[in-house]
C-alpha cells in the first residue's frame, strides 16, 4: 500500500456537530471526529445491528484469506500466482451470489527479481570485516552487469547531504541512504526517488534503509520510480541494522559493496481486475465501489498487504447479500490489479468508467492492513499525502496541513453524515471519522472528484511487516479482521441506500 496520512495543524470548530480534536503527534495521527447520531442512525439501526452481528460471527472471510495466502501465496504482477488468484477471486464472488461477476482484462508489467546478493567489505585499522547484507532489490530495479558491481560506499542520511557532496565523491560509488524513520511518507520517498537522485550525481548503485520503524534484520522491498532522464542504476533495500552498521563503519574507514542483482523486466502479462456487484434496486447505475489490490510483492504472502483488504471488502459485500439486504444503489467490490508496481488496475478501472464518473457515488479502499479499526477516513482533505522530494539543498518538505476552514458547506455536511453513519458502529469501537482517506487504486477516480474513504486502524504494526517475508497470515488478527469487515459493510450499505451523497473533491493523487 501507499499510505494516506492527513495532517492537522490546528484544532478548530467547524459546525455545531463537527469538532476536530487533535489526536497524537502532529504529522502522524489524523484528527478523529466522534460519532454524532442523526437520522441515518435511527433509520439504519436494525440493518446495521444485523450486519455487525453477522460479521462478528463470520468465519468465511478469514477462511478465504487463509486460502489466498497459504494456498495461492504471494502474487506479484506477471506471475502465474497472480492469475490463479484472479480466477479464484472471480469464482469466490460467483459462489457468494454476487452479480455481474467478471474479470476486466488489464495488462500488467512483469518485473523479475532474479538472484541477488550484496556484501560489504571494510578495511580499517581494526581489521577487515566482510559481511553479507540483508537485502531485497527494489521493485522495477534494473539488475547489475553479470558478475556484479564492486564500488566504494558513500553514506548519506538525506538528499540534502547528497546534494552537498562534490561530484567526485559520488561518481561511480554506491550511495547508501539512511533517512531514519519518520513515517512511511518519508521512507518511501527515499525508496522511490533515491535511485534517480543518486544516479543524477553519477552513482553506480543505491542501497536504501528499509522503510520501517522496526529493526529485525528484515529488508522491506517496494517499488522505485526511475526518472527517465537519468541512468537507471540497480537499487536495493537493506535492513535497518545493516544500514546502521554501514553508517558506523564508514565513520571509521573505507567500506566497499559488492552488489549482484539479476533483476529484469519481461513482456507485459494479461491479468485483470476482479469485479462483482449487488445491483441497486432503484438506482442500479449509481455505484458505491469498495475493494483493495489483489497483487502483492514477491515476498511473504501479501496477507496484510493487501489480502486483508480484498477479503474484508469482499466479505463486507457478501454479508449484505447473504442477509438479503437490497440497497437502492449498486455496491461493487473490486480486486484491483498491479497496485504495487505500476497501478495499471486503477487506471483501467477509471477508463472503464469513462464519462459515467458522476455515477461513482463513493469509493472505499482498504490497503492499510486489518489491524484494530478505529473508524473511517474521508478524504482528499489532507492535501497531497506525500511531500514532494525537496529541492536540492532544501530541508525535506513538511506535509501540507489540513485546513478545516477550507471545507465547503457540502463537505462539512458530509462529515456530519459520516458521523451519523459511524454512530451505528459504537459496539465495535469504530465510531470515528477522520479527514484523509483513499488509496492508490481509487486514486484515478477520486482525482476526478469521487468521494474517497478508507478504514482507519491503530496502525501499530503494519509497517513492521509491510513488503517483507513476514507479511503472512498469522499477522492478521481474526477479531480485528471481522471488525474491519463489519465497519466496511455498514458504511458501504448505508452510503448505497441513503438519500443524498457525500461531497467529493478532486484530490491530488500521488503514488
Ligand atoms: Zn498495498
Amino acid at each position: 500500500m501507499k499510505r494516506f496520512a492527513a495532517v492537522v495543524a490546528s484544532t478548530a470548530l467547524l459546525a455545531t456537530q463537527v469538532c476536530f480534536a487533535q489526536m497524537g503527534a502532529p504529522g502522524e495521527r489524523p484528527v478523529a471526529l466522534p460519532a454524532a447520531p442523526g437520522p441515518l442512525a435511527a433509520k439504519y439501526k436494525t440493518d446495521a445491528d444485523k450486519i455487525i452481528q453477522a460479521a462478528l460471527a463470520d468465519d468465511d472471510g478469514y477462511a478465504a484469506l487463509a486460502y489466498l495466502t497459504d494456498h495461492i501465496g504471494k502474487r506479484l504482477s506477471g506471475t502465474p500466482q497472480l492469475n490463479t488468484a484472479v480466477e479464484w477471486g472471480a469464482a469466490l464472488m460467483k459462489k457468494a451470489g454476487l452479480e455481474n461477476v467478471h474479470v476486466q482484462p488489464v495488462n500488467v508489467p512483469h518485473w523479475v527479481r532474479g538472484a541477488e546478493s550484496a556484501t560489504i567489505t571494510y578495511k580499517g585499522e581494526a581489521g577487515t570485516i566482510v559481511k553479507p547484507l540483508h537485502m531485497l532489490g527494489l521493485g522495477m530495479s534494473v539488475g547489475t552487469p553479470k558478475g556484479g558491481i564492486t564500488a566504494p560506499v558513500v553514506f548519506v542520511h538525506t538528499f540534502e547531504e547528497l546534494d552537498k557532496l562534490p561530484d567526485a565523491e559520488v561518481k561511480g560509488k554506491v550511495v547508501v541512504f539512511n533517512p531514519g524513520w519518520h513515517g512511511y511518507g518519508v521512507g518511501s520517498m527515499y525508496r522511490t526517488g533515491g535511485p534517480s537522485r543518486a544516479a543524477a550525481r553519477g552513482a553506480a548503485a543505491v542501497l536504501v534503509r528499509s522503510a520501517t520503524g522496526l529493526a529485525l534484520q528484515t529488508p522491506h522491498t517496494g517499488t522505485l520510480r526511475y526518472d527517465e532522464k537519468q541512468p537507471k542504476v540497480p537499487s536495493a533495500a537493506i535492513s535497518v541494522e545493516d544500514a546502521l552498521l554501514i553508517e558506523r563503519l564508514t565513520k571509521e574507514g573505507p567500506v566497499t559493496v559488492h552488489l549482484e542483482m539479476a533483476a529484469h523486466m519481461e513482456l507485459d502479462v494479461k491479468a485483470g481486475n476482479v469485479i462483482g456487484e449487488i445491483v441497486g434496486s432503484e438506482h442500479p447505475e449509481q455505484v458505491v465501489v469498495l475493494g483493495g489490490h489483489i497483487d502483492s510483492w514477491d515476498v511473504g504472502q501479501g496477507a496484510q498487504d493487501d489480502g486483508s483488504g480484498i477479503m474484508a471488502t469482499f466479505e463486507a459485500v457478501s454479508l449484505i447479500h447473504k442477509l438479503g439486504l437490497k440497497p437502492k444503489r449498486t455496491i461493487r467490490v473490486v480486486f484491483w490489479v498491479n497496485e504495487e508496481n505500476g497501478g495499471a488496475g486503477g487506471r483501467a478501472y477509471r477508463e472503464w468508467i469513462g464519462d459515467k464518473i458522476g455515477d461513482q457515488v463513493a469509493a472505499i479502499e482498504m490497503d492499510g492492513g486489518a489491524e484494530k479499526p478505529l473508524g473511517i477516513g474521508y478524504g482528499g482533505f489532507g492535501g497531497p499525502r506525500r511531500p514532494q522530494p525537496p529541492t536540492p539543498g532544501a530541508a525535506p518538505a513538511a506535509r501540507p496541513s489540513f485546513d478545516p476552514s477550507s471545507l465547503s458547506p457540502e463537505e462539512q455536511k458530509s462529515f456530519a453524515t459520516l458521523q451519523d453513519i459511524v454512530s451505528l458502529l459504537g459496539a465495535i469501537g469504530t465510531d470515528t471519522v477522520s479527514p484523509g482517506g483513499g488509496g492508490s487504486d481509487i486514486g484515478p477516480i477520486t482525482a476526478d472528484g469521487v468521494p474517497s474513504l478508507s478504514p482507519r486502524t491503530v496502525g501499530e504494526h503494519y509497517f513492521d511487516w509491510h513488503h517483507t517475508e513476514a507479511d503472512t497470515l498469522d499477522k492478521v488478527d481474526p477479531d480485528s479482521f471481522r471488525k474491519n469487515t463489519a465497519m466496511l459493510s455498514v458504511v458501504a450499505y448505508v452510503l448505497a441506500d441513503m438519500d443524498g451523497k457525500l461531497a467529493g473533491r478532486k484530490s491530488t493523487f500521488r503514488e
Side-chain angles (χ1 to χ4, degrees):
M1 67 88 72
K2 323 266 173 30
R3 181 152 239 217
F4 275 72
V7 177
V8 171
S10 62
T11 301
L13 269 177
L14 273 183
T16 33
Q17 272 187 309
V18 185
C19 172
F20 287 80
Q22 192 160 344
M23 283 169 45
E28 289 305 317
R29 283 264 174 245
V31 291
L33 308 177
L40 295 173
K43 182 174 176 190
Y44 290 105
K45 173 105 178 69
T46 311
D47 289 344
D49 285 350
K50 260 194 246 173
I51 291 171
I52 292 168
Q53 214 179 11
L56 294 183
D58 180 74
D59 289 325
D60 295 347
Y62 197 88
L65 176 64
Y67 184 86
L68 174 70
T69 52
D70 286 344
H71 294 273
I72 299 175
K74 57 199 176 190
R75 39 200 187 277
L76 182 65
S77 287
T79 62
Q81 289 86 350
L82 174 67
N83 286 17
T84 302
V86 166
E87 276 173 38
W88 170 82
L92 186 74
M93 287 187 191
K94 278 185 191 149
K95 197 169 155 225
L98 300 191
E99 299 161 83
N100 299 330
V101 174
H102 69 286
V103 175
Q104 177 195 11
V106 180
N107 285 332
V108 297
H110 187 196
W111 175 78
V112 177
R113 174 178 302 282
E116 56 183 20
S117 65
T119 303
I120 53 166
T121 304
Y122 160 86
K123 279 183 185 148
E125 282 173 22
T128 299
I129 299 168
V130 178
K131 184 191 178 297
L133 299 177
H134 297 273
M135 60 83 79
L136 274 175
L138 296 181
M140 310 305 268
S141 177
V142 297
T144 59
K146 262 210 166 75
I149 291 172
T150 305
V153 161
V154 54
F155 175 89
V156 293
H157 297 95
T158 61
F159 291 146
E160 195 180 357
E161 282 182 24
L162 175 69
D163 293 339
K164 282 182 182 154
L165 293 175
D167 286 345
E169 275 187 43
V170 184
K171 202 166 166 34
K173 308 261 173 78
V174 176
V175 171
V176 178
F177 288 108
N178 179 10
W181 178 242
H182 306 283
Y184 187 64
V186 172
S188 60
M189 182 172 78
Y190 277 83
R191 187 193 72 214
T192 56
S196 288
R197 268 307 264 256
R201 301 294 312 284
V206 167
L207 299 177
V208 59
R209 170 209 160 108
S210 293
T212 181
L214 184 74
L216 280 178
Q217 284 290 26
T218 312
H220 296 231
T221 190
T223 199
L224 55 67
R225 196 158 300 122
Y226 285 129
D227 176 345
E228 291 300 328
K229 295 193 283 287
Q230 305 302 338
K232 295 179 177 174
V233 295
S235 302
I238 55 175
S239 70
V240 173
E241 289 89 338
D242 283 347
L244 293 169
L245 175 66
I246 291 171
E247 180 171 359
R248 292 193 299 273
L249 292 179
T250 50
K251 281 180 192 155
E252 292 181 21
V255 177
T256 58
V257 175
H258 178 70
L259 178 68
E260 285 195 56
M261 291 171 61
H264 62 278
M265 299 299 301
E266 296 191 357
L267 292 177
D268 285 1
V269 171
K270 197 172 151 186
N273 291 330
V274 189
I275 301 173
E277 298 179 339
I278 296 172
V279 176
S281 59
E282 282 186 28
H283 308 290
E285 77 290 356
Q286 294 181 19
V287 176
V288 170
V289 62
L290 68 162
H293 63 88
I294 192 165
D295 64 305
S296 77
W297 280 108
D298 58 338
V299 291
Q301 295 183 323
Q304 285 285 22
D305 185 12
D306 185 26
S308 67
I310 58 171
M311 289 298 101
T313 49
F314 161 74
E315 198 59 14
V317 177
S318 178
L319 285 172
I320 294 168
H321 175 71
K322 266 188 218 169
L323 291 166
L325 298 169
K326 262 283 181 191
K328 295 193 180 93
R329 300 186 179 100
T330 294
I331 297 178
R332 175 181 297 155
V333 61
V334 183
F335 301 165
W336 283 282
V337 77
N338 184 228
E339 189 272 351
E340 294 291 5
N341 60 336
R347 287 194 301 275
Y349 183 78
R350 174 67 190 89
E351 276 166 34
W352 181 55
I353 297 306
D355 58 6
K356 304 268 178 17
I357 189 78
D359 285 332
Q360 300 282 300
V361 170
I364 308 171
E365 178 154 4
M366 177 165 166
D367 188 17
E371 289 182 89
K372 184 172 170 252
L374 299 173
I376 199 91
Y378 171 47
F381 305 102
R385 69 197 154 117
R386 185 171 301 167
Q388 289 294 290
T391 49
R399 284 179 184 283
S401 303
F402 174 64
D403 178 9
S405 68
S406 69
L407 296 184
S408 68
E410 291 74 32
E411 288 164 351
Q412 294 183 28
K413 220 178 112 203
S414 295
F415 270 105
T417 298
L418 286 165
Q419 287 175 284
D420 188 356
I421 294 172
V422 298
S423 74
L424 294 160
L425 298 164
I428 51 170
T430 66
D431 51 350
T432 64
V433 182
S434 313
S440 297
D441 299 297
I442 60 174
I445 60 170
T446 59
D448 282 325
V450 176
S452 62
L453 302 108
S454 55
R456 283 274 176 220
T457 75
V458 291
E460 284 171 348
H461 296 293
Y462 186 73
F463 290 105
D464 297 350
W465 317 308
H466 185 249
H467 299 178
T468 74
E469 286 290 358
D471 184 4
T472 46
L473 180 69
D474 50 285
K475 307 306 187 302
V476 186
D477 170 57
D479 181 57
S480 294
F481 177 86
R482 288 187 192 100
K483 284 177 178 158
N484 275 286
T485 302
M487 175 177 74
L488 287 161
S489 193
V490 170
V491 171
Y493 174 66
V494 177
L495 288 176
D497 195 68
M498 70 183 192
D499 298 328
K501 304 173 187 176
L502 297 178
R505 176 188 285 200
K506 291 192 178 185
S507 60
T508 312
F509 166 68
R510 285 190 189 85
E511 277 185 310

